[in-house]
Amino acid sequence: MGFFRVLAMVTMLVLFCSDVTFAQGELKVGDQGSEVAEVQGELMNLGYDVVADGDFGAATADALKEFQALNGMQASGFIDSQTYMALLGKDMPEISTGSSYIGRQLISTAMQYIGVPYVFGGTSPYGFDCSGYVQYVFAKCGISLPRTADVQFEVGTPVATTDLRPGDAVFFETYTYGASHVGIYIGDGNFIHASSSRGVTISSLGSAYYSSHYLGARRMM
């Protein structure tokens, strides 16, 4: 998945932390639920390369853009009432947003710092280390985390790899025993983190390095 496609999609996400309910709103990257799975299922029936897992990631957004463009709609990559009707032939239901909404906000906040350099011990947009970056992003969304990766790994709820949701913290065992690196899962097998070699960037959990050093995930929301 291309970095700039991810950046373009997530920077359009909303920037609110509180839970809301709205009728015929929009579903976006980071959302989850039966409505997403239903749309994905219809996209699959039409031949698009998506999985009906209820997890709205970049592949779903790309398929929606193509479908919308082919059907004379704005190619937003969102599930709005018009797209929902075109795909499923019925009105879009009310959507209640909760933890997935906060997950979107975490991702949107995290993406604002792409390119910030890595600084050992850094905890600000002038420079981050991995855990300082995660702590800072979560704090911007009103969620307080400990300072270091090893202690962050001790809080929240453990999450299986198969159950990862955007906004979950993902941990790695790198230069020492236990959790020594941390990032934020953004969907489609990718996470955003402060890399010691590239600064704040997006990487794949499936890459040779990160898959071999993966330790686990925690849900802080």
Side-chain angles (χ1 to χ4, degrees):
M1 178 178 59
F3 163 76
F4 291 106
R5 274 194 295 161
V6 179
L7 182 61
M9 285 184 291
V10 248
T11 50
M12 291 188 291
L13 299 175
V14 292
L15 297 174
F16 304 102
C17 281
S18 58
D19 290 356
V20 297
T21 300
F22 52 95
Q24 295 188 347
E26 292 178 338
L27 289 165
K28 305 176 177 123
V29 170
D31 279 326
Q32 294 181 319
S34 58
E35 293 88 2
V36 175
E38 195 173 17
V39 166
Q40 290 169 325
E42 187 58 33
L43 288 169
M44 287 178 62
N45 291 338
L46 294 172
Y48 291 96
D49 185 17
V50 297
V51 177
D53 57 3
D55 188 355
F56 198 141
T60 299
D62 286 346
L64 283 166
K65 286 180 181 179
E66 186 174 342
F67 173 81
Q68 289 164 335
L70 288 172
N71 288 274
M73 294 179 280
Q74 180 182 358
S76 65
F78 303 157
I79 303 172
D80 55 18
S81 57
Q82 183 183 16
T83 304
Y84 195 89
M85 174 62 77
L87 278 166
L88 299 171
K90 60 183 179 180
D91 290 333
M92 190 170 179
E94 285 192 356
I95 302 165
S96 178
T97 59
S99 62
S100 65
Y101 193 65
I102 299 174
R104 290 204 314 273
Q105 202 274 339
L106 283 166
I107 296 169
S108 181
T109 301
M111 294 295 291
Q112 295 176 33
Y113 304 104
I114 285 283
V116 169
Y118 180 91
V119 174
F120 182 76
T123 59
S124 79
Y126 295 103
F128 291 111
D129 66 14
C130 66
S131 56
Y133 171 65
V134 170
Q135 183 191 48
Y136 184 89
V137 170
F138 273 79
K140 294 280 281 186
C141 297
I143 300 172
S144 178
L145 294 183
R147 170 64 184 88
T148 60
D150 58 336
V151 184
Q152 289 174 359
F153 189 60
E154 296 175 358
V155 301
T157 304
V159 180
T161 306
T162 53
D163 294 327
L164 280 171
R165 296 178 184 172
D168 288 341
V170 288
F171 294 86
F172 306 85
E173 188 174 79
T174 54
Y175 63 87
T176 188
Y177 177 79
S180 52
H181 188 67
V182 60
I184 300 170
Y185 185 68
I186 65 172
D188 280 353
N190 296 286
F191 68 103
I192 186 168
H193 61 129
S195 161
S196 59
S197 60
R198 295 189 291 162
V200 177
T201 189
I202 293 171
S203 299
S204 171
L205 288 175
S207 69
Y209 179 80
Y210 289 112
S211 62
S212 63
H213 289 82
Y214 184 72
L215 185 61
R218 296 275 169 164
R219 185 160 298 148
M220 311 298 189
M221 298 170 281

